[in-house]
Coordinates of all heavy atoms in Angstrom, one line a residue:
V1 N 34.2 -31.0 -36.8 CA 34.5 -30.9 -38.1 C 34.5 -29.4 -38.6 O 35.2 -29.0 -39.5 CB 33.4 -31.7 -39.0 CG1 33.6 -31.5 -40.5 CG2 33.5 -33.1 -38.7
M2 N 33.6 -28.6 -38.0 CA 33.5 -27.2 -38.3 C 34.8 -26.4 -38.0 O 35.0 -25.3 -38.3 CB 32.3 -26.6 -37.7 CG 31.0 -27.1 -38.1 SD 30.7 -27.0 -39.9 CE 30.3 -25.3 -40.0
R3 N 35.7 -27.0 -37.2 CA 36.9 -26.4 -36.9 C 38.1 -27.0 -37.7 O 39.3 -26.6 -37.3 CB 37.2 -26.5 -35.4 CG 36.3 -25.7 -34.6 CD 36.6 -25.6 -33.1 NE 35.8 -24.7 -32.4 CZ 34.8 -25.2 -31.6 NH1 34.6 -26.5 -31.5 NH2 34.0 -24.4 -30.9
H4 N 37.8 -27.7 -38.7 CA 38.9 -28.4 -39.5 C 39.7 -27.3 -40.1 O 39.1 -26.3 -40.6 CB 38.2 -29.3 -40.5 CG 39.1 -30.2 -41.2 ND1 39.9 -29.9 -42.2 CD2 39.4 -31.6 -40.9 CE1 40.7 -31.0 -42.6 NE2 40.4 -31.9 -41.8
P5 N 41.0 -27.5 -40.3 CA 41.9 -26.5 -41.0 C 41.6 -26.3 -42.5 O 41.9 -25.2 -43.0 CB 43.3 -27.0 -40.8 CG 43.2 -28.4 -40.4 CD 41.8 -28.6 -39.9
D6 N 40.9 -27.2 -43.1 CA 40.6 -27.1 -44.5 C 39.3 -26.4 -44.7 O 38.2 -26.9 -44.4 CB 40.6 -28.4 -45.2 CG 40.2 -28.4 -46.7 OD1 40.7 -27.4 -47.4 OD2 39.5 -29.2 -47.1
P7 N 39.3 -25.2 -45.4 CA 38.0 -24.4 -45.6 C 37.0 -25.2 -46.4 O 35.7 -25.1 -46.0 CB 38.4 -23.2 -46.4 CG 39.9 -23.0 -46.0 CD 40.5 -24.5 -45.9
S8 N 37.4 -26.0 -47.4 CA 36.3 -26.8 -48.1 C 35.7 -27.8 -47.2 O 34.5 -28.1 -47.3 CB 37.0 -27.5 -49.3 OG 37.4 -26.6 -50.2
T9 N 36.4 -28.4 -46.3 CA 35.8 -29.4 -45.4 C 34.8 -28.7 -44.4 O 33.7 -29.2 -44.2 CB 36.9 -30.0 -44.4 OG1 37.8 -30.7 -45.4 CG2 36.4 -31.0 -43.5
I10 N 35.1 -27.5 -44.0 CA 34.2 -26.7 -43.2 C 32.9 -26.4 -44.0 O 31.8 -26.6 -43.5 CB 34.8 -25.4 -42.7 CG1 36.0 -25.8 -41.7 CG2 33.8 -24.5 -42.0 CD1 36.8 -24.6 -41.3
Q11 N 33.1 -25.9 -45.2 CA 31.9 -25.7 -46.0 C 31.1 -26.9 -46.3 O 29.9 -26.9 -46.2 CB 32.4 -25.1 -47.4 CG 32.9 -23.7 -47.3 CD 33.4 -23.2 -48.7 OE1 34.1 -23.9 -49.3 NE2 33.0 -22.0 -49.1
E12 N 31.7 -28.1 -46.6 CA 31.0 -29.3 -46.8 C 30.2 -29.7 -45.6 O 29.0 -30.1 -45.7 CB 31.9 -30.4 -47.3 CG 32.5 -30.2 -48.7 CD 33.5 -31.3 -49.0 OE1 33.4 -32.4 -48.6 OE2 34.4 -30.9 -49.8
A13 N 30.8 -29.6 -44.4 CA 30.1 -29.9 -43.2 C 29.0 -29.0 -43.0 O 27.8 -29.5 -42.5 CB 31.1 -29.9 -42.0
G14 N 29.1 -27.8 -43.2 CA 27.9 -26.8 -43.1 C 26.9 -27.1 -44.1 O 25.7 -27.1 -43.7
I15 N 27.1 -27.5 -45.3 CA 26.1 -27.9 -46.3 C 25.4 -29.2 -45.8 O 24.2 -29.2 -45.8 CB 26.7 -28.1 -47.6 CG1 27.2 -26.8 -48.2 CG2 25.8 -28.8 -48.5 CD1 28.0 -27.0 -49.4
L16 N 26.1 -30.1 -45.2 CA 25.5 -31.4 -44.7 C 24.6 -31.0 -43.6 O 23.4 -31.6 -43.4 CB 26.5 -32.4 -44.4 CG 27.3 -33.0 -45.5 CD1 28.4 -33.9 -45.0 CD2 26.3 -33.8 -46.4
L17 N 25.0 -30.1 -42.7 CA 24.2 -29.7 -41.5 C 23.0 -29.0 -42.0 O 21.8 -29.3 -41.5 CB 25.0 -28.9 -40.6 CG 24.3 -28.5 -39.3 CD1 23.9 -29.7 -38.5 CD2 25.3 -27.6 -38.5
G18 N 23.1 -28.2 -43.0 CA 21.9 -27.4 -43.6 C 20.9 -28.5 -44.2 O 19.8 -28.4 -44.0
E19 N 21.5 -29.5 -44.9 CA 20.6 -30.5 -45.4 C 19.9 -31.2 -44.3 O 18.7 -31.6 -44.5 CB 21.4 -31.5 -46.4 CG 22.0 -30.8 -47.6 CD 21.0 -30.4 -48.6 OE1 19.7 -30.8 -48.5 OE2 21.3 -29.5 -49.5
Y20 N 20.5 -31.6 -43.2 CA 19.9 -32.2 -42.1 C 18.7 -31.4 -41.6 O 17.6 -31.9 -41.4 CB 20.9 -32.4 -41.0 CG 20.3 -32.9 -39.7 CD1 19.8 -34.2 -39.6 CD2 20.1 -32.0 -38.7 CE1 19.2 -34.6 -38.4 CE2 19.4 -32.4 -37.5 CZ 19.0 -33.7 -37.4 OH 18.4 -34.1 -36.2
Y21 N 18.9 -30.0 -41.4 CA 17.9 -29.3 -40.9 C 16.7 -29.1 -41.9 O 15.6 -29.2 -41.5 CB 18.4 -27.8 -40.6 CG 19.3 -27.8 -39.4 CD1 20.4 -27.0 -39.4 CD2 19.0 -28.4 -38.2 CE1 21.2 -26.9 -38.3 CE2 19.8 -28.4 -37.1 CZ 21.0 -27.7 -37.2 OH 21.8 -27.6 -36.0
Y22 N 17.0 -29.1 -43.2 CA 16.0 -29.1 -44.2 C 15.1 -30.4 -44.1 O 13.9 -30.3 -44.2 CB 16.7 -29.0 -45.6 CG 15.7 -29.2 -46.7 CD1 14.6 -28.4 -47.0 CD2 15.9 -30.3 -47.5 CE1 13.7 -28.7 -48.1 CE2 15.0 -30.6 -48.6 CZ 14.0 -29.8 -48.8 OH 13.1 -30.1 -49.9
R23 N 15.8 -31.5 -44.0 CA 15.0 -32.8 -44.0 C 14.3 -32.9 -42.8 O 13.3 -33.8 -42.8 CB 16.0 -34.0 -44.3 CG 16.5 -33.8 -45.7 CD 17.4 -34.9 -46.2 NE 17.7 -34.5 -47.6 CZ 18.7 -35.1 -48.2 NH1 19.4 -36.0 -47.7 NH2 18.9 -34.7 -49.5
T24 N 14.6 -32.3 -41.6 CA 13.9 -32.5 -40.5 C 12.8 -31.3 -40.3 O 12.1 -31.2 -39.3 CB 14.8 -32.4 -39.1 OG1 15.5 -31.2 -39.2 CG2 15.8 -33.6 -39.2
G25 N 12.6 -30.5 -41.3 CA 11.6 -29.6 -41.4 C 11.9 -28.2 -40.8 O 11.1 -27.4 -40.7
E26 N 13.2 -28.0 -40.4 CA 13.6 -26.7 -39.9 C 14.2 -25.8 -41.0 O 15.4 -25.6 -41.1 CB 14.7 -26.9 -38.8 CG 14.2 -27.7 -37.6 CD 15.2 -27.9 -36.6 OE1 15.6 -26.9 -35.9 OE2 15.7 -29.1 -36.4
I27 N 13.2 -25.3 -41.8 CA 13.6 -24.7 -43.0 C 14.4 -23.4 -42.8 O 15.4 -23.1 -43.4 CB 12.4 -24.3 -43.8 CG1 11.6 -25.6 -44.2 CG2 12.7 -23.5 -45.1 CD1 12.3 -26.7 -44.9
E28 N 13.9 -22.5 -41.8 CA 14.7 -21.3 -41.6 C 16.1 -21.5 -41.0 O 17.0 -20.9 -41.3 CB 13.9 -20.4 -40.7 CG 12.7 -19.8 -41.4 CD 12.0 -18.7 -40.6 OE1 12.6 -18.0 -39.8 OE2 10.7 -18.6 -40.9
R29 N 16.2 -22.5 -40.1 CA 17.4 -22.9 -39.6 C 18.3 -23.4 -40.6 O 19.5 -23.2 -40.7 CB 17.3 -23.9 -38.4 CG 18.5 -24.2 -37.7 CD 18.2 -25.1 -36.4 NE 19.3 -25.2 -35.6 CZ 19.4 -26.0 -34.5 NH1 18.4 -26.6 -34.2 NH2 20.5 -26.1 -33.8
A30 N 17.8 -24.2 -41.6 CA 18.6 -24.7 -42.7 C 19.1 -23.5 -43.5 O 20.3 -23.5 -43.9 CB 17.7 -25.6 -43.6
G31 N 18.4 -22.5 -43.7 CA 18.7 -21.4 -44.6 C 19.9 -20.7 -43.9 O 20.8 -20.3 -44.6
R32 N 19.7 -20.4 -42.6 CA 20.9 -19.8 -41.8 C 22.1 -20.6 -41.8 O 23.2 -20.1 -42.0 CB 20.4 -19.5 -40.4 CG 19.4 -18.4 -40.3 CD 19.2 -18.0 -38.8 NE 18.9 -19.2 -37.9 CZ 17.6 -19.6 -37.6 NH1 16.6 -19.1 -38.2 NH2 17.5 -20.7 -36.8
T33 N 21.9 -21.8 -41.8 CA 23.1 -22.7 -41.8 C 23.8 -22.7 -43.1 O 25.1 -22.7 -43.2 CB 22.7 -24.2 -41.4 OG1 22.1 -24.2 -40.1 CG2 23.9 -25.1 -41.4
F34 N 23.1 -22.8 -44.2 CA 23.7 -22.7 -45.5 C 24.4 -21.3 -45.7 O 25.5 -21.3 -46.3 CB 22.6 -22.8 -46.6 CG 22.1 -24.2 -46.8 CD1 20.7 -24.5 -46.7 CD2 23.0 -25.3 -47.1 CE1 20.3 -25.8 -46.9 CE2 22.5 -26.5 -47.2 CZ 21.1 -26.8 -47.2
I35 N 23.8 -20.2 -45.2 CA 24.5 -18.9 -45.3 C 25.8 -19.0 -44.5 O 26.9 -18.6 -45.0 CB 23.6 -17.8 -44.8 CG1 22.5 -17.7 -45.8 CG2 24.3 -16.5 -44.7 CD1 21.3 -16.7 -45.4
N36 N 25.7 -19.5 -43.3 CA 27.0 -19.6 -42.5 C 28.0 -20.4 -43.1 O 29.3 -20.2 -43.1 CB 26.6 -20.2 -41.1 CG 25.8 -19.2 -40.3 OD1 25.8 -18.0 -40.5 ND2 25.1 -19.6 -39.3
A37 N 27.6 -21.5 -43.8 CA 28.5 -22.4 -44.5 C 29.2 -21.6 -45.7 O 30.4 -21.8 -46.0 CB 27.9 -23.6 -45.1
A38 N 28.4 -20.7 -46.3 CA 29.0 -20.0 -47.4 C 30.1 -19.0 -47.0 O 31.0 -18.8 -47.7 CB 27.8 -19.3 -48.2
V39 N 29.9 -18.4 -45.9 CA 30.7 -17.2 -45.5 C 31.8 -17.6 -44.4 O 32.7 -16.8 -44.2 CB 29.9 -16.0 -45.2 CG1 29.0 -15.6 -46.3 CG2 29.0 -16.3 -43.8
A40 N 31.6 -18.7 -43.7 CA 32.4 -18.9 -42.6 C 33.9 -19.2 -43.0 O 34.8 -18.6 -42.5 CB 31.9 -20.2 -41.9
Q41 N 34.2 -19.9 -44.0 CA 35.5 -20.2 -44.5 C 35.4 -20.3 -46.0 O 35.4 -21.4 -46.5 CB 36.0 -21.5 -43.9 CG 36.3 -21.5 -42.4 CD 37.6 -20.6 -42.1 OE1 38.5 -20.6 -42.8 NE2 37.5 -19.9 -41.0
P42 N 35.3 -19.2 -46.7 CA 35.2 -19.2 -48.2 C 36.5 -19.8 -48.9 O 37.3 -19.0 -49.2 CB 34.9 -17.8 -48.6 CG 35.5 -17.0 -47.4 CD 35.4 -17.8 -46.2
G43 N 36.5 -21.1 -49.0 CA 37.7 -21.7 -49.7 C 37.3 -22.1 -51.1 O 38.1 -21.9 -52.0
N44 N 36.2 -22.8 -51.2 CA 35.8 -23.4 -52.5 C 34.7 -22.6 -53.1 O 33.6 -22.6 -52.5 CB 35.5 -24.9 -52.3 CG 35.0 -25.6 -53.6 OD1 34.4 -25.0 -54.4 ND2 35.5 -26.8 -53.8
R45 N 34.9 -21.9 -54.1 CA 33.9 -21.0 -54.7 C 32.7 -21.8 -55.1 O 31.5 -21.3 -55.0 CB 34.4 -20.1 -55.7 CG 35.3 -19.0 -55.3 CD 35.8 -18.0 -56.3 NE 34.8 -17.5 -57.1 CZ 34.0 -16.4 -56.8 NH1 34.0 -15.9 -55.7 NH2 33.1 -15.9 -57.7
D46 N 32.8 -23.0 -55.7 CA 31.7 -23.8 -56.1 C 30.8 -24.1 -54.8 O 29.6 -24.0 -54.9 CB 32.1 -25.0 -56.9 CG 30.9 -25.7 -57.5 OD1 30.1 -24.9 -58.3 OD2 30.6 -26.8 -57.3
L47 N 31.5 -24.5 -53.8 CA 30.7 -24.9 -52.5 C 30.0 -23.6 -51.9 O 29.0 -23.7 -51.4 CB 31.6 -25.4 -51.5 CG 32.1 -26.9 -51.8 CD1 33.1 -27.4 -50.6 CD2 30.9 -27.8 -51.9
M48 N 30.7 -22.5 -52.1 CA 30.1 -21.2 -51.6 C 28.8 -20.9 -52.4 O 27.8 -20.6 -51.8 CB 31.1 -20.0 -51.8 CG 30.5 -18.7 -51.3 SD 31.6 -17.3 -51.8 CE 32.8 -17.5 -50.4
A49 N 28.9 -21.0 -53.7 CA 27.8 -20.7 -54.6 C 26.6 -21.8 -54.2 O 25.5 -21.3 -54.2 CB 28.2 -20.8 -56.1
H50 N 27.0 -23.0 -54.1 CA 26.1 -24.1 -53.8 C 25.3 -23.7 -52.5 O 24.1 -23.8 -52.4 CB 26.7 -25.4 -53.7 CG 25.9 -26.6 -53.2 ND1 25.1 -27.3 -54.0 CD2 25.7 -27.0 -52.0 CE1 24.4 -28.1 -53.3 NE2 24.7 -28.0 -52.1
S51 N 26.0 -23.3 -51.4 CA 25.5 -23.0 -50.1 C 24.5 -21.8 -50.3 O 23.4 -21.8 -49.7 CB 26.6 -22.6 -49.1 OG 27.4 -23.7 -48.9
L52 N 25.0 -20.8 -51.1 CA 24.2 -19.6 -51.2 C 22.8 -19.9 -51.9 O 21.8 -19.4 -51.6 CB 24.8 -18.5 -51.9 CG 26.0 -17.8 -51.1 CD1 26.8 -16.8 -52.0 CD2 25.4 -17.0 -49.9
F53 N 23.0 -20.8 -52.9 CA 21.8 -21.2 -53.7 C 20.8 -22.0 -52.7 O 19.6 -21.7 -52.8 CB 22.2 -22.1 -54.9 CG 21.0 -22.7 -55.6 CD1 20.2 -21.8 -56.5 CD2 20.6 -24.0 -55.5 CE1 19.1 -22.4 -57.1 CE2 19.6 -24.5 -56.2 CZ 18.8 -23.7 -57.0
R54 N 21.3 -22.9 -52.0 CA 20.4 -23.7 -51.1 C 19.8 -22.8 -50.1 O 18.6 -22.9 -49.7 CB 21.2 -24.8 -50.4 CG 21.6 -25.9 -51.3 CD 20.5 -26.7 -51.8 NE 19.8 -27.6 -50.8 CZ 18.6 -27.9 -50.6 NH1 17.7 -27.3 -51.5 NH2 18.2 -28.7 -49.7
A55 N 20.6 -21.8 -49.6 CA 20.0 -20.7 -48.7 C 18.8 -20.0 -49.4 O 17.8 -19.8 -48.8 CB 21.0 -19.8 -48.2
A56 N 19.0 -19.7 -50.6 CA 17.9 -19.0 -51.4 C 16.7 -19.9 -51.5 O 15.6 -19.5 -51.3 CB 18.4 -18.6 -52.8
Q57 N 17.0 -21.2 -51.7 CA 15.8 -22.1 -51.8 C 15.0 -22.1 -50.5 O 13.8 -22.2 -50.5 CB 16.3 -23.5 -52.2 CG 16.7 -23.7 -53.7 CD 17.2 -25.1 -53.9 OE1 18.0 -25.6 -53.1 NE2 16.7 -25.6 -54.9
M58 N 15.8 -22.2 -49.4 CA 15.2 -22.1 -48.1 C 14.4 -20.9 -47.9 O 13.3 -20.9 -47.2 CB 16.1 -22.3 -47.0 CG 16.9 -23.7 -47.0 SD 16.0 -25.1 -47.0 CE 16.2 -25.7 -48.7
M59 N 14.9 -19.8 -48.3 CA 14.1 -18.5 -48.1 C 12.9 -18.6 -49.0 O 11.8 -18.1 -48.5 CB 15.0 -17.3 -48.6 CG 16.3 -17.1 -47.7 SD 15.9 -16.9 -45.9 CE 16.9 -18.1 -45.2
K60 N 12.8 -19.1 -50.1 CA 11.7 -19.2 -50.9 C 10.7 -20.1 -50.1 O 9.5 -19.8 -50.1 CB 12.0 -19.8 -52.3 CG 10.7 -19.8 -53.2 CD 11.0 -20.1 -54.6 CE 9.6 -20.0 -55.3 NZ 9.8 -20.0 -56.8
L61 N 11.2 -21.3 -49.7 CA 10.2 -22.2 -49.0 C 9.6 -21.6 -47.8 O 8.5 -21.9 -47.4 CB 11.0 -23.5 -48.6 CG 11.3 -24.4 -49.8 CD1 12.2 -25.5 -49.3 CD2 10.1 -25.0 -50.4
S62 N 10.4 -20.7 -47.1 CA 9.9 -20.2 -45.9 C 9.1 -18.8 -46.1 O 8.7 -18.2 -45.1 CB 11.0 -20.0 -44.8 OG 12.0 -19.1 -45.3
G63 N 9.0 -18.4 -47.3 CA 8.3 -17.2 -47.7 C 9.0 -15.9 -47.4 O 8.4 -14.9 -47.3
R64 N 10.3 -16.0 -47.3 CA 11.1 -14.8 -47.0 C 11.6 -14.1 -48.3 O 12.8 -14.3 -48.6 CB 12.2 -15.2 -46.0 CG 11.6 -15.7 -44.7 CD 12.6 -16.1 -43.7 NE 13.3 -14.8 -43.2 CZ 14.0 -14.8 -42.2 NH1 14.3 -15.9 -41.6 NH2 14.6 -13.7 -41.8
E65 N 10.7 -13.5 -48.9 CA 10.9 -12.9 -50.3 C 12.1 -12.0 -50.3 O 12.9 -11.9 -51.2 CB 9.7 -12.3 -50.9 CG 9.8 -11.9 -52.3 CD 8.5 -11.4 -52.9 OE1 7.5 -11.9 -52.5 OE2 8.6 -10.5 -53.6
K66 N 12.2 -11.1 -49.3 CA 13.3 -10.1 -49.3 C 14.6 -10.8 -49.2 O 15.6 -10.4 -50.0 CB 13.1 -9.2 -48.1 CG 14.2 -8.1 -48.0 CD 14.0 -7.2 -46.8 CE 15.1 -6.1 -46.8 NZ 15.7 -6.1 -45.6
E67 N 14.7 -11.7 -48.4 CA 16.0 -12.4 -48.2 C 16.4 -13.3 -49.4 O 17.5 -13.3 -49.9 CB 16.0 -13.4 -47.0 CG 16.0 -12.6 -45.7 CD 14.6 -12.2 -45.2 OE1 13.6 -12.3 -46.0 OE2 14.5 -11.7 -44.0
L68 N 15.3 -13.8 -50.1 CA 15.6 -14.6 -51.3 C 16.1 -13.7 -52.4 O 17.1 -14.0 -53.0 CB 14.2 -15.1 -51.8 CG 14.1 -15.7 -53.2 CD1 15.1 -16.8 -53.4 CD2 12.7 -16.1 -53.5
R69 N 15.5 -12.5 -52.5 CA 16.0 -11.6 -53.5 C 17.4 -11.1 -53.3 O 18.2 -11.0 -54.2 CB 15.0 -10.3 -53.6 CG 13.7 -10.7 -54.2 CD 12.8 -9.4 -54.3 NE 11.5 -9.7 -54.7 CZ 11.1 -10.0 -56.0 NH1 12.0 -10.1 -56.9 NH2 9.8 -10.4 -56.2
E70 N 17.8 -10.9 -52.1 CA 19.1 -10.5 -51.7 C 20.1 -11.6 -52.0 O 21.2 -11.3 -52.5 CB 19.2 -10.2 -50.2 CG 18.5 -8.9 -49.8 CD 18.4 -8.7 -48.3 OE1 18.9 -9.5 -47.5 OE2 17.8 -7.6 -48.0
L71 N 19.7 -12.8 -51.8 CA 20.7 -13.9 -52.1 C 20.8 -14.2 -53.5 O 21.9 -14.5 -54.0 CB 20.1 -15.2 -51.4 CG 20.3 -15.3 -49.9 CD1 19.6 -16.4 -49.3 CD2 21.9 -15.4 -49.6
V72 N 19.7 -14.0 -54.3 CA 19.8 -14.1 -55.8 C 20.7 -13.0 -56.4 O 21.6 -13.3 -57.1 CB 18.4 -14.0 -56.4 CG1 18.5 -13.9 -57.9 CG2 17.5 -15.3 -56.0
E73 N 20.6 -11.8 -55.8 CA 21.4 -10.7 -56.2 C 22.9 -11.0 -56.0 O 23.7 -10.7 -56.7 CB 21.0 -9.4 -55.6 CG 19.7 -8.8 -56.2 CD 19.2 -7.6 -55.4 OE1 20.0 -7.0 -54.6 OE2 18.0 -7.2 -55.5
R74 N 23.1 -11.6 -54.8 CA 24.5 -11.9 -54.4 C 25.1 -12.9 -55.3 O 26.2 -12.9 -55.7 CB 24.4 -12.4 -53.0 CG 25.7 -12.6 -52.2 CD 25.5 -13.0 -50.9 NE 26.5 -12.7 -50.0 CZ 26.6 -12.9 -48.7 NH1 25.6 -13.5 -48.1 NH2 27.6 -12.7 -48.0
L75 N 24.2 -14.0 -55.6 CA 24.8 -15.0 -56.6 C 25.0 -14.4 -57.9 O 26.0 -14.7 -58.6 CB 23.7 -16.1 -56.7 CG 23.8 -17.1 -55.5 CD1 22.5 -17.9 -55.4 CD2 24.9 -18.0 -55.7
E76 N 24.1 -13.5 -58.4 CA 24.4 -12.9 -59.7 C 25.6 -12.0 -59.8 O 26.4 -12.0 -60.7 CB 23.1 -12.1 -60.1 CG 21.9 -12.9 -60.5 CD 20.7 -12.1 -61.0 OE1 20.3 -11.2 -60.2 OE2 20.4 -12.2 -62.2
R77 N 25.8 -11.3 -58.7 CA 27.0 -10.4 -58.6 C 28.3 -11.2 -58.5 O 29.2 -10.8 -59.1 CB 26.8 -9.5 -57.4 CG 27.9 -8.4 -57.2 CD 27.6 -7.5 -56.1 NE 27.3 -8.2 -54.8 CZ 26.2 -8.2 -54.1 NH1 25.1 -7.7 -54.7 NH2 26.0 -8.8 -53.0
N78 N 28.3 -12.3 -57.6 CA 29.5 -13.0 -57.4 C 29.8 -14.1 -58.3 O 31.0 -14.6 -58.4 CB 29.6 -13.4 -55.9 CG 29.7 -12.2 -55.0 OD1 30.6 -11.4 -55.1 ND2 28.7 -12.1 -54.0
F79 N 28.8 -14.6 -58.9 CA 28.9 -15.8 -59.8 C 28.1 -15.5 -61.1 O 27.3 -16.4 -61.4 CB 28.4 -17.1 -59.0 CG 29.1 -17.3 -57.8 CD1 28.5 -16.8 -56.6 CD2 30.3 -17.9 -57.7 CE1 29.1 -17.0 -55.4 CE2 30.9 -18.2 -56.4 CZ 30.3 -17.6 -55.3
P80 N 28.4 -14.5 -61.8 CA 27.6 -14.2 -63.0 C 27.7 -15.3 -64.1 O 28.8 -15.8 -64.3 CB 28.2 -12.9 -63.5 CG 29.6 -12.9 -62.9 CD 29.5 -13.6 -61.6
G81 N 26.5 -15.5 -64.7 CA 26.5 -16.5 -65.8 C 26.7 -18.0 -65.3 O 26.7 -18.9 -66.1
S82 N 26.8 -18.2 -64.0 CA 27.0 -19.6 -63.5 C 25.7 -20.3 -63.5 O 24.6 -19.8 -63.5 CB 27.7 -19.6 -62.2 OG 26.7 -19.2 -61.2
E83 N 25.8 -21.6 -63.4 CA 24.6 -22.5 -63.2 C 23.9 -22.0 -61.9 O 22.7 -22.0 -61.9 CB 25.0 -23.9 -63.1 CG 23.9 -24.9 -62.8 CD 24.5 -26.3 -62.6 OE1 25.6 -26.6 -62.8 OE2 23.6 -27.1 -62.1
W84 N 24.7 -21.7 -60.9 CA 24.1 -21.3 -59.6 C 23.3 -20.1 -59.7 O 22.1 -20.0 -59.2 CB 25.2 -21.2 -58.5 CG 25.9 -22.5 -58.3 CD1 27.2 -22.7 -58.6 CD2 25.4 -23.7 -57.8 NE1 27.6 -24.0 -58.2 CE2 26.5 -24.6 -57.7 CE3 24.1 -24.1 -57.3 CZ2 26.3 -25.9 -57.3 CZ3 23.9 -25.4 -56.9 CH2 25.0 -26.3 -56.8
S85 N 23.9 -19.1 -60.4 CA 23.1 -17.8 -60.5 C 21.9 -17.9 -61.5 O 20.8 -17.3 -61.2 CB 24.0 -16.6 -60.9 OG 24.5 -16.8 -62.2
N86 N 22.1 -18.7 -62.5 CA 21.0 -18.9 -63.4 C 19.7 -19.7 -62.7 O 18.7 -19.3 -62.9 CB 21.4 -19.7 -64.6 CG 22.4 -18.9 -65.5 OD1 22.4 -17.7 -65.4 ND2 23.2 -19.5 -66.3
N87 N 20.1 -20.7 -61.9 CA 19.0 -21.3 -61.3 C 18.5 -20.5 -60.1 O 17.3 -20.6 -59.9 CB 19.6 -22.7 -60.7 CG 19.8 -23.8 -61.8 OD1 19.2 -23.7 -62.8 ND2 20.7 -24.6 -61.5
A88 N 19.3 -19.7 -59.6 CA 18.7 -18.8 -58.5 C 17.7 -17.8 -59.1 O 16.7 -17.6 -58.4 CB 19.9 -18.1 -57.8
V89 N 18.0 -17.3 -60.2 CA 17.0 -16.4 -60.8 C 15.7 -17.1 -61.1 O 14.6 -16.5 -60.9 CB 17.6 -15.8 -62.2 CG1 16.6 -15.1 -63.0 CG2 18.8 -14.9 -61.9
K90 N 15.7 -18.4 -61.5 CA 14.5 -19.1 -61.7 C 13.7 -19.2 -60.4 O 12.4 -19.4 -60.4 CB 14.8 -20.5 -62.2 CG 15.3 -20.5 -63.6 CD 15.8 -21.9 -64.0 CE 16.5 -21.8 -65.4 NZ 17.0 -23.1 -65.8
L91 N 14.3 -19.1 -59.2 CA 13.5 -19.1 -58.0 C 12.6 -17.9 -57.8 O 11.6 -18.0 -57.1 CB 14.5 -19.2 -56.7 CG 15.3 -20.4 -56.6 CD1 16.3 -20.2 -55.4 CD2 14.5 -21.6 -56.2
L92 N 12.9 -16.9 -58.5 CA 12.1 -15.7 -58.5 C 10.8 -15.7 -59.3 O 10.0 -14.9 -59.3 CB 12.9 -14.4 -58.9 CG 14.1 -14.1 -58.0 CD1 14.9 -13.0 -58.7 CD2 13.7 -13.8 -56.6
E93 N 10.8 -16.8 -60.2 CA 9.6 -16.9 -61.1 C 8.3 -17.0 -60.3 O 8.3 -17.8 -59.3 CB 9.8 -18.1 -62.0 CG 10.8 -18.0 -63.1 CD 11.1 -19.2 -63.9 OE1 10.4 -20.3 -63.6 OE2 12.0 -19.1 -64.7
G94 N 7.4 -16.3 -60.7 CA 6.1 -16.3 -60.0 C 6.0 -15.2 -58.9 O 4.9 -14.9 -58.4
L95 N 7.2 -14.7 -58.5 CA 7.1 -13.7 -57.4 C 6.8 -12.3 -58.0 O 6.2 -11.5 -57.4 CB 8.5 -13.7 -56.6 CG 8.8 -14.9 -55.9 CD1 10.1 -14.7 -55.2 CD2 7.8 -15.3 -54.9
E96 N 7.2 -12.1 -59.2 CA 7.0 -10.8 -59.9 C 5.6 -10.3 -60.0 O 5.3 -9.2 -59.8 CB 7.7 -10.8 -61.3 CG 9.2 -11.0 -61.3 CD 9.9 -10.0 -60.5 OE1 9.5 -8.8 -60.6 OE2 10.9 -10.3 -59.8
E97 N 4.7 -11.4 -60.2 CA 3.3 -11.1 -60.4 C 2.7 -10.6 -59.0 O 1.7 -9.9 -59.0 CB 2.5 -12.3 -60.8 CG 2.9 -12.8 -62.2 CD 3.7 -14.1 -62.3 OE1 3.4 -15.0 -61.4 OE2 4.5 -14.3 -63.1
R98 N 3.3 -11.0 -57.9 CA 2.7 -10.7 -56.6 C 3.1 -9.3 -56.1 O 2.6 -8.8 -55.1 CB 3.0 -11.8 -55.7 CG 2.6 -13.1 -56.0 CD 2.8 -14.2 -54.8 NE 4.1 -14.0 -54.3 CZ 4.5 -14.8 -53.3 NH1 3.7 -15.9 -53.0 NH2 5.6 -14.6 -52.8
R99 N 4.1 -8.7 -56.8 CA 4.6 -7.4 -56.3 C 3.6 -6.3 -56.6 O 2.9 -6.2 -57.4 CB 6.0 -7.1 -56.9 CG 7.0 -7.9 -56.3 CD 8.3 -7.4 -56.7 NE 8.9 -6.8 -55.4 CZ 9.9 -6.0 -55.4 NH1 10.4 -5.5 -56.4 NH2 10.3 -5.6 -54.2

C-alpha cells in the first residue's frame, strides 16, 4: 500500500501504521511513522497536518520536548490558524513552567 500511486492513499496507510504502533505501545516508532507519512508523499494537506499533529502527540508522550516544539512550530508555519496548529500549541501547555 505504501507504494500506491495515489499520495493520499500512501499518507492514509502511514497514519494507520502509526496508529497501530501507538496502540501497541511503540510510541517513538509511532511518532517516526507519523512523520514519515506526512513527508513521504505530500498529497493531501489535511492528512499531512493530521500526521504532523499525531507525531507531536507522540513526542509529548515520549518526553521528547525538543522534537515536540519543532513539530508545533512546523504546524504553525505551514498550517497557520488551522485546527491542527491550534491543537498542537495546546500540547505545549504545562511545558513552559518546566523551562
Side-chain angles (χ1 to χ4, degrees):
V1 175
M2 296 301 286
R3 291 190 177 99
H4 195 279
D6 176 42
S8 290
T9 301
I10 294 169
Q11 287 177 313
E12 289 176 32
I15 291 169
L16 290 174
L17 187 57
E19 293 296 343
Y20 168 79
Y21 290 135
Y22 166 66
R23 291 186 181 162
T24 60
E26 297 180 67
I27 304 301
E28 289 189 27
R29 190 171 186 185
R32 288 190 307 271
T33 302
F34 286 125
I35 291 170
N36 290 337
V39 299
Q41 292 289 328
N44 182 316
R45 288 188 48 81
D46 191 54
L47 288 178
M48 179 187 282
H50 174 85
S51 295
L52 291 173
F53 176 73
R54 289 296 284 145
Q57 288 179 311
M58 297 305 109
M59 294 305 123
K60 182 168 185 171
L61 288 173
S62 62
R64 299 181 69 169
E65 188 175 322
K66 180 180 181 236
E67 291 87 349
L68 167 61
R69 290 182 187 284
E70 289 170 359
L71 287 166
V72 171
E73 288 175 15
R74 190 178 205 178
L75 280 160
E76 287 184 297
R77 184 176 54 250
N78 293 307
F79 306 93
S82 72
E83 173 187 354
W84 299 113
S85 65
N86 293 337
N87 287 334
V89 169
K90 291 177 185 175
L91 293 174
L92 298 175
E93 291 176 1
L95 298 180
E96 297 299 321
E97 295 111 31
R98 297 188 322 186
R99 285 193 111 199

